[in-house]
Amino acid sequence: MRDGTEATPRVYGRISAVMYKVTLNAKRDYATLHHHPWIFSGAIRDVDGQPSIGETVEVCSARGDRLGYGSYSPQSQIRVRMLSFDPRVPVDADRISNLVAAAVARRATFLAPASPTNAFRVVNAENDGLPGVTADFYDGFVVVQLASAGAEYWKQALVDALMKHVPGCRGVFNRSDVDARAREGLVFERDCVVGPLAGEEPPEFIEIHEGAIRYLVDVRKGHKTGFYLDQRDARAAVGSFAQGADVLNCFSYTGGFGLAACAAGARSVTHLDVSADALALAKRNTELTGCTGTACDFVEADVFKQLRLYRDQARTFDLIVLDPPKFADTKAGLMRASRGYKDINLLAMKLLKPRGVLATFSCSGAMTTDLFDKVCAEAAFDAHRDFQMLARTRQAAVDHPVALSFPEGLYLKGLVLRAMD
Ligand code: SAH
């Protein structure tokens, strides 16, 4: 099983003898011609036949040119997700396997003996040519999230490919309990989409490391696939401002930024989160890493309220991290989300000591870099303080790449700001 050479042939999703054909509207083929992987329902002129959920369709321009192949999703606004932009390269289990192998090859540095970490993203969905497929590697175990009709359709091929191509892969675990599946008309109930798919079952906690920092990852109950691998570069950026600092790590989850600050010689770190479970793990991670030189505090509270409490207590910090959950899922929710971002940023800016540093993030895809800059600038204005931008961060490079043809792939934005006085 491990090398994918077992004798019994695998049964993949039905490969139809009749290839369904999707024809685009005139003037609506620009995106597909430029390798954008999404085809919205409004761009489609007609569909030949009745492809069912996840089945492969041939995509043609209004003139009848074949543009490639994608997975059909009858219920989603994103009606087709492209898996091949080459009419000569059909979509079958081999194609899926090749896409996985290519994604793994791009991450060779993470698998090299000198790698500072044993945890990284193996497949970054659209950006690696596999729409809706996320796969994260945690010390030998791969955790997948299959969020689209096509991803689910090719599940077995994907699992086999991961077992075969990821060196040292001991098992593949499913964490497809994502809301996006509902929009696709896929089963999303936790009981049905969380569990082992191949190989060994992961232990209750998988221990990973990033340099000297050690984290326990709960792949069954943790957020997303268990850990925020996407903030790796930002953790390093925060560490570079942490020496001797009193740090407030808001939305701490299992400690991420706070541990990076400890490792960089922070004087104190206060982790703040509403989740007792997350804080308990943050504490265990602190002990595991051995952050003895830093005074660590774990506060279970709502960030919106706690920042106001600190304000009333006139408590101040040298370095504040704001890494909230997604406030906006869609463009429609953006106004409300902007108010939320402005509120916490304004409060945090007021709590900074002179020349203090704020590392602030937004993982809402709908929030653009420009809008996030503007929200932060307005927060600074209302806080009556001037700031300098020291750095911009984004989701970790190399293992969370953004396809140039798919700007939507950039979802995580960060700013490191320093109060001028
Ligand atoms: N910074 C973390 C990831 C943050 S995930 C890391 O790098 O690992 C978002 C976290 O915010 C979750 O742990 C969630 O429990 C917490 N959270 C959500 N809403 C909150 C609120 N209003 N107050 C405090 N914590 C909140």
Side-chain angles (χ1 to χ4, degrees), residues 145-294:
Q145 276 191 339
L146 307 173
S148 68
E152 181 66 26
Y153 185 85
W154 292 107
K155 178 161 82 177
Q156 193 58 55
L158 286 162
V159 171
D160 291 349
L162 288 163
M163 288 297 282
K164 179 174 171 188
H165 296 300
V166 176
C169 183
R170 293 163 63 186
V172 179
F173 193 84
N174 197 6
R175 270 304 302 275
S176 296
D177 48 330
V178 287
D179 296 342
R181 284 176 67 103
R183 292 194 287 277
E184 295 282 308
L186 297 168
V187 172
F188 61 95
E189 286 80 8
R190 214 189 130 76
D191 291 352
C192 310
V193 292
V194 175
L197 291 171
E200 290 172 46
E201 273 213 45
E204 187 183 2
F205 294 104
I206 302 177
E207 188 181 318
I208 62 163
H209 62 263
E210 268 180 18
I213 307 167
R214 292 153 78 188
Y215 301 99
L216 296 174
V217 180
D218 180 349
V219 299
R220 287 175 184 75
K221 298 201 278 310
H223 289 181
K224 306 211 286 182
T225 64
F227 190 70
Y228 287 85
L229 292 168
D230 54 2
Q231 288 285 33
R232 186 190 311 107
D233 295 355
R235 280 190 283 278
V238 162
S240 68
F241 297 102
Q243 204 192 355
D246 288 320
V247 181
L248 177 61
N249 183 22
C250 300
F251 308 98
S252 69
Y253 188 49
T254 58
F257 285 103
L259 266 82
C262 287
R267 191 165 70 153
S268 72
V269 172
T270 301
H271 297 274
L272 185 55
D273 203 286
V274 275
S275 160
D277 288 346
L279 288 169
L281 207 46
K283 201 168 181 182
R284 282 185 69 182
N285 289 338
T286 303
E287 286 157 9
L288 192 65
T289 301
C291 304
T292 46
T294 308

Side-chain angles (χ1 to χ4, degrees), residues 59 66 98 126 136 162 181 394 398 405:
V59 176
R66 294 159 80 197
N98 290 341
E126 276 78 353
D136 288 339
L162 288 163
R181 284 176 67 103
R394 35 150 289 171
V398 186
S405 58

Side-chain angles (χ1 to χ4, degrees), residues 27 31-32 35 47 117 147 149 173 198 213 227 253 278 334 350 388 402:
K27 298 197 184 129
T32 313
H35 291 195
V47 182
T117 185
F173 193 84
I213 307 167
F227 190 70
Y253 188 49
L334 211 51
K350 286 187 167 176
Q388 298 171 319
V402 180

